[in-house]
Amino acid sequence: NSKLRHVEKDVLIPQIMRDRAKELCSDKVQAFTKCCQETGVLMVVKCRQENTALKDCLVGYYSDPSFYEECKAEYLKQREEYRATGIKKKRQKFTQNV
């Protein structure tokens, strides 16, 4: 059964999308984090370039319909396994193909 409830569409699948997008944009996350740690209070001004690059990367994934479908398929697989076994599996980390 692949019907989705409101909470699954609007909360659970977007959570998977956010987690995967952060992993896929990890180089930009690290650059922004490093800039913020080095700059301190002035990070708002000095880390604009890194923040823009990170935001562009994340929004690119969030707005991609095929990425949504991948995450939806992953969620449905997890839900099916949970319903069959009653055991919730921890989400595995994805690695970017280089």
Side-chain angles (χ1 to χ4, degrees), residues 9-70:
K9 284 187 223 174
D10 296 340
V11 177
L12 299 173
I13 294 173
Q15 178 66 47
I16 292 172
M17 291 177 72
R18 279 190 298 279
D19 293 344
R20 287 199 56 204
K22 283 180 189 174
E23 292 168 9
L24 294 170
C25 297
S26 64
D27 55 332
K28 292 170 182 59
V29 171
Q30 289 173 351
F32 179 66
T33 302
K34 182 180 177 190
C35 179
C36 290
Q37 288 173 340
E38 292 173 353
T39 316
V41 178
L42 298 174
M43 69 182 165
V44 174
V45 176
K46 296 203 175 201
C47 299
R48 282 187 183 152
Q49 184 177 358
E50 290 85 351
N51 186 29
T52 301
L54 174 59
K55 198 178 337 176
D56 290 344
C57 182
L58 293 173
V59 169
Y61 283 111
Y62 297 158
S63 60
D64 183 2
S66 64
F67 185 68
Y68 177 83
E69 291 301 320
E70 279 179 42

Side-chain angles (χ1 to χ4, degrees), residues 74-89:
E74 178 186 338
Y75 172 76
L76 289 172
K77 182 180 173 195
Q78 289 175 359
R79 185 178 78 173
E80 180 182 334
E81 289 176 10
Y82 175 75
R83 287 181 176 176
T85 64
I87 300 170
K88 186 174 182 178
K89 288 194 173 186

